[in-house]
Structure formats: structure tokens, C-alpha cells
Amino acid sequence: MERARELHQFLVGRLDGVTPTPAQTTIDLSRVSDIDACGCQLLALFLENLKRRGTAPLLAAPPLALSEQIEALGFHDLLAAQPEP
């Protein structure tokens, strides 16, 4: 939580260097083993920044435990992963 603002600025800064802006991007959550409410908020802000830039973010491959944590923290609607093709 102490570094959330710093991490958010870092992520948005990384977006500034991406040209051209992709129409869609996949965010692979397969290696994320744990998340808390602050992490969910940070991820939601990052996704919103992508959307504002015209990129459709797709969350993919969250481990079951991570999906359950996101649900328990009340972020399911904001951070719903896309089904596997």
C-alpha cells in the first residue's frame, strides 16, 4: 500500500512509451499468486488507463486462488478474467 502511488505512476509511465497504441492487450495473471485490496485497486486503475488510451485489456489465466481472492475482495466485476479460447 505504501508504494501504490509509485507503482501506478511507473505502470502509466510504461504505457507512455508504447506506440502505436495496440487495439487490444492481454494481461497474463498466471504467475500472480496473491493479491490484496490495494493490488486490486492498482490493477483496476491500470486497466482504466489502458481503456482511456483506446486499448481493450483482457485479463487471462488467473490461478483459481487468485480469482477467489479477487471475488472475496469485491473486485470481480472490475477484474473479471476473459475465458480461455
Side-chain angles (χ1 to χ4, degrees):
M1 188 165 102
E2 296 83 25
R3 296 186 56 213
R5 182 181 177 102
E6 175 187 337
L7 289 170
H8 181 252
Q9 290 173 340
F10 170 77
L11 291 171
V12 171
R14 296 289 300 241
L15 290 176
D16 288 339
V18 176
T19 53
T21 303
Q24 182 175 315
T25 191
T26 300
I27 299 171
D28 181 5
L29 298 176
S30 64
R31 294 178 35 191
V32 179
S33 60
D34 194 22
I35 196 164
D36 61 7
C38 189
C40 287
Q41 289 174 332
L42 186 60
L43 183 54
L45 284 172
F46 180 67
L47 297 178
E48 187 58 36
N49 273 295
L50 286 170
K51 290 174 189 174
R52 277 192 238 136
R53 294 166 186 264
T55 299
L58 299 174
L59 295 179
L64 179 59
L66 184 69
S67 294
E68 290 171 350
Q69 285 177 302
I70 289 170
E71 175 80 31
L73 292 167
F75 285 87
H76 179 265
D77 290 343
L78 287 173
L79 304 178
Q82 304 302 312
E84 294 293 324

